[in-house]
Structures are given as C-alpha cells and as structure tokens.
C-alpha cells in the first residue's frame, strides 16, 4: 500500500507480483531440495509433474490476488481506450478529438504500420534469431572443446564456457532491446498500452529463444540430462549474479562517482596540484542527477526468464527453485534500493493488472506442460515402468499425458473464477 501511494499502482503491482512469486517458490525449493538429496531416480518424473501443477496453480492464484489488489487500490475499472491520451512520442497530424474536443494526433493508417512490420521488423527479428543460433552453437562447441582437453590441467576452466554463454546472452539481450525499441518507435503506435504490448511481444520472443535455446538443444537434440543439469545451473546462477550487478550495484557506483565529482568545484585560481574545496549539494540537485526510471519492463522480463528456467527445466536441476528463491529475496531489496537511491522517482501510473506480462506468464505455463511431458518421455522412466512399450507407444503415452494435463489446466481456469466471491459481493454492495 505504501509503494502504491508513493510510486504508483504500476510499480506496486510489480513488487506485489514479485513478493507473491517469491513466496510461491518456497514449495518447489523445498521439494526440489528433498528430491535432489534423495529420491532422484523417480524424482525426475515427480518433479516434472509437479512443475506443471505448480505453474498452473500459481498463475491462477496470482490472477485472483491481482484482482484483489486492483480493487483495494481503486483501479479495477480502467478507463476505455478512447479516453487514453496519445503517447507523447507519437507522430501524426493533429485533429480535434470527437471524445475530448482537444487537438490530438490522428491515428496513422494501419497499412503503414503493417508494411513496416512485415517488411522491416520481422526480417530484422529473424536475423537476430539466426545470430542467436550461431552464437549458441559456437559456445556449445567451445564447451565440447574444453571437455576434450586434459581434465587434470584444465579442470578449473570447466565453468568458463558457461559463464561466457551467460555473458553473451546478457549482451545480446541488451543490444536487441535497443533494437526492439527502435523498431517499435518506427512502427509509431498512438497509445502507450499498444506500444508496450508490441514491445513486450518483440522482446519476449527474443528472450525466450536467447535464454532457452541452448537448453532445448541439449535436452531434445543431444538428450544429455547431465549436461542439461550443468548448463541450467550455470546459466541460472551466472545470469542472476550478472543481473544484480548490472541493474543495481554498477549504476549505484557510477552515481556515487558522479555525485563525488559534483561535490567539488574547481575555480580557475586553484592549481592542478591543490585540492579543490568541497561544496554542498542540495537535495534537488542530487535527485536531478539520478538515472531516469524506465519502468518495470526490464524487471518483469528478468523474472519471466527466471521463472522459465524453474518451470521448464528444473526437473533436470531440482535446486533451481532454491536458487531462484535465494535470488528473489535479494532481488526485492535490490529493486527497492534501485528505486530509492539510483533512479528518479517515477510518475505514478494507475493500472488494473500487470498487463501483457500476465499473458506471457500464461504462455509460459502452457510451455511448461509441453516441455515437462517431453522430458518425462526422454528420462527413461517410462521404458523402465513399461519395458514392453515401443517408441511409438511411448510417444502416444506422452502425448496423452500432455493432453490430460492441458485439460486439467483448462478445467482449473474454468473452476476458479477470476473474481473471488467475497470481492464480487463487495463490488455489488458498492454499486
């Protein structure tokens, strides 16, 4: 509530989601630790099925909880799209609005945006995805080369290729994000909501391929569970460390250096050898020198990728939930520190939910069903339980299991209404 009052509902919803997700991680963290320590042979199947159930239940729990928060903060009913003001950077001829009566930029013809999207944006995104394939292949070849070296001499270097891959993924994420923003600006969306939705779609697609391609390759092409475990552990831990250093620690150090330089004035009468006097800096000057806050986009994206590591491939590395939980306990404080000490205070925004990120979480839950069922089929447990099954029968069994899980997931969504009964009663009384 305090965050919503000071930073706005949009920022508060992010912290509410992060806290809710962190609490939910306690269950896979505990179960994963138990299975990792003991029942690992059968634990692969158990944890795969658990990932599917946990992801589905968590998403439904958050969907209902976010509605409660929106009701508490008075944003459950959002204004219609016609009342949404144009995006400040939108370019278009001015005309009088039929709703507000003010001069507002006119909506650009849809064919212009579609032409740019199909002729420019999609080909560039495709080339970026090809680049990801090339980099991933080179990094995996580097890992194979390292593995073939004399282990007695180079055993200490075994982690370097995985760290390099995590660093390459982070650098490509940064470069592609700037490219995606440029493409989105050129597509020239009139409303901020549509602009953000299309930016999320562009970046989430690239992030999914960039973050998980090597894991899919190892899991379903090489079919090496031990290597998948090592790769997931290396990527998850390395990216968490790099992310925390990049988003909070490094900007804070740079900001302190800038403030230190502002604290000293160097008049012309002082020689280079003399020490310049220190001057006091007002609060307004300090805050004006801080970084501008770009919103919760990068924070949501970082947590979405982390959740993907947990729900998609943690059957190979059950401690992924524990690693994610430990990181998120630090992440909550890190993001709060970033808002309070590194960035300028953002303008508050009133939103009803986390927007398109909710849809992205739903797609991730759907992918969790498919991937975990496929991992069960590749784990060898099915053939050990039913030795007489042929490959075709095994595939049919896994596909049937997948359809059953998808059906149960749909039934769960249907049985649990988005609006809790007590909240529906409160809304009815208010009306």
């Amino acid at each position: 509530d305090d965050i919503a009052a000071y930073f706005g509902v949009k920022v508060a919803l992010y912290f509410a989601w992060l806290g809710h997700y962190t609490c939910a991680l306690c269950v896979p963290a505990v179960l994963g630790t138990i299975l990792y320590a003991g029942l690992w042979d059968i634990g692969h199947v158990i944890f795969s099925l658990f990932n599917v159930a946990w992801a589905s239940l968590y998403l439904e729990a958050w969907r209902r909880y976010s509605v409660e928060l929106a009701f508490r903060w008075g944003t459950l009913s959002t204004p219609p799209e016609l009342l949404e003001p144009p995006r400040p950077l939108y370019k278009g001829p001015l005309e009088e609005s039929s709703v507000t009566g003010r001069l507002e930029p006119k909506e650009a013809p849809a064919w212009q945006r579609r032409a740019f999207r199909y002729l420019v944006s999609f080909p560039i995104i495709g080339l970026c995805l090809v680049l990801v394939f090339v980099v991933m292949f080179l990094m995996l070849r580097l890992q194979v080369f390292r593995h073939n070296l004399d282990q007695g001499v180079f055993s200490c270097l075994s982690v370097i290729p995985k760290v390099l891959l995590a660093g390459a993924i982070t650098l490509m994420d940064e470069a592609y994000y700037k490219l995606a923003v440029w493409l989105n600006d050129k597509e020239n969306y009139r409303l901020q909501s549509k602009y953000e939705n299309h930016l999320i779609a562009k970046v989430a697609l690239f992030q999914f391929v960039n973050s998980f391609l090597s894991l899919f390759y190892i899991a379903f092409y090489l079919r090496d569970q031990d290597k998948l475990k090592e790769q997931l552990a290396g990527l998850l831990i390395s990216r968490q460390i790099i992310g925390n250093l990049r988003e909070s620690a490094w900007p804070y150090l740079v900001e302190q250096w800038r403030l230190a330089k502002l604290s000293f004035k160097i008049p012309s009468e002082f020689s280079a050898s003399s020490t310049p006097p220190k001057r006091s800096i007002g609060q307004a000057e300090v805050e004006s020198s801080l970084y501008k806050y770009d919103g919760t986009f990068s924070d949501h994206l970082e947590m979405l990728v982390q959740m993907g590591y947990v729900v998609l491939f943690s059957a190979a590395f059950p401690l992924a939930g524990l690693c994610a939980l430990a990181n998120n306990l630090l992440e909550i404080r890190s993001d709060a520190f970033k808002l309070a000490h590194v960035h300028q205070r953002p303008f508050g925004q009133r939103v009803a939910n986390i927007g398109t990120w909710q849809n992205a979480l739903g797609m991730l839950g759907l992918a969790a069903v498919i991937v975990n069922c496929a991992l069960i089929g590749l784990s060898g447990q099915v053939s050990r339980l039913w030795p007489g099954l042929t490959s075709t029968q095994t595939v049919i069994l896994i596909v049937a299991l997948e359809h059953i899980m998808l059906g149960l997931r749909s039934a769960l969504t249907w049985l649990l209404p988005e609006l809790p009964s007590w909240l529906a009663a409160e809304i009815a009384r208010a009306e």
Side-chain angles (χ1 to χ4, degrees), residues 241-428:
I241 295 174
I242 293 173
N244 284 318
L245 292 176
R246 179 178 57 86
E247 71 178 17
S248 295
W250 177 251
Y252 178 73
L253 293 176
V254 172
E255 188 60 39
Q256 292 302 307
W257 171 250
R258 291 168 57 186
L259 290 176
K261 291 196 297 183
L262 285 175
S263 299
F264 292 91
K265 59 180 180 180
I266 308 178
S268 57
E269 62 267 17
F270 282 92
S271 63
S273 59
S274 61
T275 303
K278 188 175 181 179
R279 68 183 181 93
S280 60
I281 302 178
Q283 183 66 22
E285 189 176 2
V286 171
E287 293 186 4
S288 66
S289 67
L290 300 177
Y291 292 98
K292 290 185 178 180
Y293 186 63
D294 294 329
T296 59
F297 186 94
S298 59
D299 298 320
H300 273 296
L301 189 62
E302 179 186 1
M303 290 297 103
L304 181 69
V305 172
Q306 184 206 82
M307 187 177 179
Y309 286 135
V310 173
V311 301
L312 295 180
F313 296 102
S314 62
F317 180 56
L319 294 181
L322 182 62
C323 294
L325 175 62
N327 173 79
N328 286 7
L329 293 175
L330 177 63
E331 183 76 21
I332 294 174
R333 295 298 179 185
S334 173
D335 289 342
F337 176 83
K338 178 176 64 176
L339 268 172
H341 298 284
V342 178
H343 292 277
Q344 298 176 7
R345 178 184 175 184
F347 290 100
Q349 299 182 45
R350 296 176 61 81
V351 294
N353 48 51
I354 59 176
T356 307
W357 295 111
Q358 184 75 32
N359 300 330
L361 291 173
M363 295 298 294
L364 190 61
L366 181 64
V369 176
I370 300 172
V371 171
N372 281 280
C373 289
L375 288 176
I376 291 175
L378 296 175
S379 65
Q381 288 288 339
V382 176
S383 59
R384 285 195 289 271
L385 290 174
W386 295 286
L389 288 180
T390 64
S391 299
T392 303
Q393 291 172 332
T394 302
V395 171
I396 294 175
L397 179 62
I398 295 302
V399 171
L401 175 63
E402 173 202 333
H403 281 65
I404 292 173
M405 298 303 293
L406 289 175
L408 292 175
R409 186 172 179 269
S410 300
L412 181 65
T413 304
W414 180 73
L415 290 173
L416 293 177
E418 183 176 356
L419 201 64
S421 57
W422 69 267
L423 183 54
E426 287 287 339
I427 295 175

Side-chain angles (χ1 to χ4, degrees), residues 29-201:
V30 172
L31 181 60
T33 304
I34 294 173
L35 293 177
Y36 188 81
L39 308 172
W40 180 233
D41 187 40
I42 192 64
H44 191 285
V45 176
I46 295 175
F47 208 59
S48 295
L49 295 175
F50 167 79
N51 282 335
V52 174
W54 177 82
S56 301
L57 289 172
Y58 164 72
L59 292 177
E60 291 304 315
W62 164 250
R63 186 167 62 99
R64 291 165 62 88
Y65 182 56
S66 65
V67 173
E68 296 178 19
L69 292 176
F71 176 75
R72 183 195 305 175
W73 294 330
T75 60
L76 189 58
S77 298
T78 56
E81 187 176 284
L82 288 175
L83 294 179
E84 185 176 349
R87 192 168 60 92
L89 296 179
Y90 173 73
K91 299 176 182 178
L94 295 177
E95 69 172 5
E96 184 177 343
S97 172
S98 59
V99 178
T100 62
R102 298 192 300 263
L103 285 177
E104 294 181 354
K106 181 182 178 182
E107 181 74 37
W111 67 266
Q112 294 181 359
R113 187 177 298 111
R114 292 195 184 101
F116 185 87
R117 189 185 303 155
Y118 291 123
L119 298 178
V120 179
S121 296
F122 287 173
I124 290 178
I125 293 173
L127 289 175
C128 292
L129 295 180
V130 171
L131 178 62
V132 171
F133 276 90
V134 173
V135 172
M136 184 274 298
F137 178 77
L138 292 177
M139 288 297 177
L140 290 179
R141 294 304 301 172
L142 179 61
Q143 292 185 23
V144 173
F145 174 74
R146 194 279 314 162
H147 183 74
N148 293 333
L149 293 176
D150 183 7
Q151 296 295 316
V153 179
F154 297 98
S155 58
C156 60
L157 305 179
S158 60
V159 73
I160 291 180
K162 299 178 181 63
V163 175
L164 288 177
L165 179 58
I169 289 174
T170 302
L171 291 176
M172 288 190 292
D173 285 343
E174 290 286 337
Y176 178 80
Y177 176 75
K178 295 179 181 179
L179 179 61
V181 170
W182 180 80
L183 291 174
N184 231 40
D185 290 340
K186 291 297 182 181
E187 291 175 11
N188 197 27
Y189 293 99
R190 183 175 182 271
L191 302 181
Q192 183 67 26
S193 58
K194 289 187 176 180
Y195 178 88
E196 290 183 357
N197 290 342
H198 284 84
L199 182 61
I200 290 172

